[in-house]
Amino acid sequence: MVNSVSKKADAGLILVLITLFFLCVFSYKSKSRLTENSQAISETNLVLLELKATLSTMQEAEAGVNSFLLAEDPEFLELYKTKSKAMGVHLQTLANFAADNEVQQNNLTKLHKLVSEKTKQLNYIVQFRHSKEYTREKLEPYVTQGALIMTDIRSLINETEDQARTLLAKHVKEANRVAEISHFAILFSCALAFLFLFTSRLILRKEINERRKTEEAFQKMRLALENAVEGISRIDEQGTFLSVNKAFASLLGFEIHELIGRNWINIIDEHSQEEVIEQYARVKEDGRSEVEALCRPKSGEPFYVRLTMVLTHSDKGKFEGHYCFLKDISKEKREQKELIDARKAALEASLAKSDFLANMSHEIRTPMNGVIGMSGLLSKTNLNDKQKQFVDTIRISAEALLTLINDILDFSKIESRKMIFETIDFSLQDVLEDTEKMLIHSARAKSIFLNFEISSEVPQFLLGDPGKFRQILINLIGNAVKFTKEGGVTVSVTKQSENQKNCEIRVEIQDTGIGLNNTALNRLFQPFTQADSSTTRQFGGTGLGLAICKRLVEMMGGEIGVQSEEGKGSAFWFTVKMGQGKEPLREPKKTELVSQLSKEQKRNLNLLVVEDNQVNQRVVIEMLSQLGFTVEAAENGKTALEIYKHRKIDLIFMDCQMSVMDGYEATKEIRDFEKLTAKRTPIVALTANVTAQDKQKCFDAGMDDYLNKPVDMENLAGTIERWLAPAPSIPSAPVVTADANALIDWSAVEKLLHIKADGSFFTELLTIYNEKFPDYMTAIEDAVKNGDAAALREAAHALKGSSLNLGLLALGEISRKLEESSENAAQIISDLKVCYIKTKDELTHQLENKAA
């Protein structure tokens, strides 16, 4: 404490001495400035005197010449010569005095010039006087000229004298000011020194009091740190423990004295030392750092801690080590690991669920294809009434089972957010009529009525997804019919609200059925839930219908609800938001389009069915035969490849999962073979897998279309029409030919656009392609990064196939380059991304123009 006060007193004294020193320096400078001003005043006075002497000498020289002219006495010329020499001395003296004054120098230069002119004029007069041509009259102009020069000399000398007097006054004023400032500075310095000494004493006294309080607070803080719950230690610049609190030592199982003097890095487990040392290096730069590390206790297993390191400095700013705060986070780490494991298990369960659904769909749909297909073919044969009843029972049961499967798959798509919605123009009246046709027979069989009431305010055409809207209607109206024994069902459609872009539609389904109690109402719209267990036994169902309706309605921007009373019926209602639509193009039945092909054309077309399941193979062959086509069958991909290589095939129906060689591999082999033949045969996937990923896998392999199992005659005919029927004329196509430099093959796009009249088929394919493109790029970039040439070829091949299937020529060509060679892969990947953006913009622009 005493040393500190003494230091501050010494510091005060030094400051006073410094002040006095600067005072002396200031006084010396003031004296120098005063001396300079005095000298300047003297020099200015001398300039004034010299100017007067110069003018007087010039006048005397002129008087000598004038006297010579009047008296013609040569003695006057001696006076003139003497004064002329004196003029040079005066001018030189003035030049020396004005060396530091630019204005005076300029004036003296002018004066010197005028004097020279005057001297020359006087000399000329003297010489002219001695010449034979001399007359008074001829001399008069020179005398007048001399008088004018003399007037200029007087004016210039007077101007210079005025400037000198102004400068003299300035120097006098400056000298007086410097003197006043010097006196004021001396007084101010004395007062400042006194004030400084007095203030220093007060500050020192206050410092002593504050220092005493700080020491007391430090003692309290030290006590608090020693008893803190968190481990705290102080470490010097060599890494040695200077102090640790009880919590720090206790966490590590040491006594405090056992840690003092030890190197702190020894408490860190060897697996974490490198990371901790790296973070410690950052402390010196950033002042603070935090790291999680394994800590090695005195005994037992290492445990996780959070180390917080804070830099410490001395009063002089010198690095003195750091504080280390220690917190046990082993419990947090265990909980974090449990969460990660739980999340991993959930993801695995989700993947297992998806795999199960896909496998279940495939395994069930495959035999269902045979059941529904064969029953459909059988129903077209000559049957008696009893046989027809049996066949219809088989078909109805199979379709009911297929409905259950579709409900489960739809719910899975909604849960995984993979449900795709169309945005197309459709007629509301057509959707309602289709729904009525599907359900009217069930209502009539129960002798109940089914009425549809549409408000005149409801727009005739809407823009949205008619399929999803129809699915909601069928589910809700079907339930109403199913649970109504007498009376009937009334469907009311009204307009809730409308603006320039959207229209909100409200649909209410009122029935006179069994109704619901409060307990059942609370359980509605939950997955796998029905009103009670007896409902399932009596009416059947998965309990997913209402849950799917609720999710679909919400995804279409609406709400769903119900009012019901047990024994008195129910009123289900929902709202959806759709755009303002226009009248859609009418699409003829597929069987009619196929019938456009003549019998001769059909006989000349060779169709190949590749299917390892004998029942499914027989179903498809029989359907195609009834449509009038020549069909050949292959039991696996390898056989199909051999048939294709040796015979003319116009269309291939390819099952995806087969033994020996599956449909994906067979398609790739066929596409590779086609490179040598310059032709491309349409390949349609026969698949029981109906997810978007499954469809995309078909396109990646090089297939052109897909046909879901179970196959029906209508969809089969529609597929044939897409690829074999004559294409309609298209006057509005933006481009009808493709060239090597084109982004898009518009002829291929137009063909896909007209597969369905509203263009929804191409839209669906394009949506799947856009969703899949980032996955393609990720696979390609990962393959390049890992140097995996095989994976790169596979990913590039998949992107090439998908691009060419949609007519995206440039993307397909760039993908081909990447498939054939990984050289300059980085540049090709960059080209791919740029080309994708250009292609997407061009597609959007042209399709919007076409729609307009």
Side-chain angles (χ1 to χ4, degrees), residues 249-403:
S250 177
L251 278 174
L252 298 172
F254 288 95
E255 296 294 331
I256 292 177
H257 69 272
E258 292 179 312
L259 290 173
I260 303 299
R262 290 187 60 176
N263 192 292
W264 77 286
I265 204 67
N266 292 330
I267 69 169
I268 307 299
D269 187 79
E270 58 185 6
H271 296 95
S272 299
Q273 283 187 3
E274 184 177 351
E275 183 179 3
V276 171
I277 291 173
E278 181 181 343
Q279 291 296 325
Y280 177 63
R282 294 184 180 179
V283 173
K284 294 182 179 180
E285 299 177 0
D286 303 334
R288 188 180 189 278
S289 184
E290 188 173 279
V291 63
E292 293 180 359
L294 280 170
C295 206
R296 185 191 303 160
K298 185 176 181 180
S299 60
E301 294 294 324
F303 61 96
Y304 273 101
V305 296
R306 181 178 292 111
L307 286 172
T308 303
M309 296 170 280
V310 180
L311 199 66
T312 60
H313 294 89
S314 66
D315 295 337
K316 297 180 180 179
K318 182 182 177 182
F319 169 63
E320 286 190 343
H322 69 281
Y323 280 103
C324 181
F325 299 86
L326 194 70
K327 183 179 180 181
D328 184 358
I329 59 169
S330 52
K331 183 180 178 181
E332 296 178 21
K333 281 292 184 180
R334 284 195 300 271
E335 293 175 349
Q336 184 180 5
K337 185 177 183 301
E338 290 171 359
L339 286 173
I340 293 173
D341 292 342
R343 182 176 181 274
K344 183 179 179 181
L347 290 174
E348 290 175 351
S350 177
L351 291 173
K353 172 186 171 184
S354 299
D355 290 341
F356 168 75
L357 289 173
N359 292 331
M360 182 198 72
S361 169
H362 182 270
E363 295 301 326
I364 296 179
R365 282 174 179 271
T366 298
M368 287 299 298
N369 183 53
V371 174
I372 294 176
M374 282 298 184
S375 61
L377 293 172
L378 184 59
S379 66
K380 297 180 184 299
T381 62
N382 295 323
L383 302 173
N384 59 39
D385 292 342
K386 193 170 185 178
Q387 290 172 329
K388 185 171 179 57
Q389 184 179 2
F390 291 161
V391 172
D392 288 342
T393 301
I394 293 172
R395 179 181 56 78
I396 292 171
S397 299
E399 289 176 351
L401 180 57
L402 189 61
T403 299

Side-chain angles (χ1 to χ4, degrees), residues 2-66:
V2 174
N3 290 336
S4 175
V5 174
S6 176
K7 288 179 180 179
K8 291 190 175 181
D10 291 342
L13 180 59
I14 290 171
L15 287 175
V16 170
L17 293 174
I18 290 173
T19 303
L20 293 174
F21 171 76
F22 280 112
L23 176 62
C24 293
V25 171
F26 180 76
S27 298
Y28 175 76
K29 288 187 175 180
S30 296
K31 181 181 178 182
S32 299
R33 289 176 62 188
L34 192 59
T35 302
E36 290 173 359
N37 283 323
S38 299
Q39 184 177 354
I41 291 169
S42 299
E43 290 178 353
T44 304
N45 286 325
L46 290 175
V47 168
L48 289 171
L49 292 175
E50 283 298 325
L51 287 171
K52 291 179 180 179
T54 300
L55 181 59
S56 176
T57 303
M58 193 73 237
Q59 290 174 342
E60 289 178 1
E62 186 180 29
V65 173
N66 290 335

Side-chain angles (χ1 to χ4, degrees), residues 515-579:
L516 299 166
N517 58 34
N518 291 333
T519 302
L521 284 173
N522 294 330
R523 298 174 61 192
L524 283 182
F525 305 114
Q526 298 299 319
F528 306 102
T529 301
Q530 292 189 327
D532 55 56
S533 58
S534 63
T535 301
T536 304
R537 292 194 299 271
Q538 184 176 358
F539 298 103
T542 61
L544 285 174
L546 290 179
I548 291 172
C549 287
K550 184 176 188 297
R551 304 294 175 86
L552 290 177
V553 166
E554 290 173 348
M555 294 171 79
M556 296 170 76
E559 298 176 333
I560 190 170
V562 60
Q563 292 91 34
S564 182
E565 186 176 349
E566 191 171 8
K568 294 185 179 181
S570 304
F572 282 82
W573 61 268
F574 69 93
T575 63
V576 291
K577 293 180 180 179
M578 297 190 186

Side-chain angles (χ1 to χ4, degrees), residues 15 68 283 397 409 507 519 608 611 656 792:
L15 287 175
F68 168 72
V283 173
S397 299
L409 290 175
V507 180
T519 302
L608 175 63
E611 171 67 74
C656 293
L792 178 60

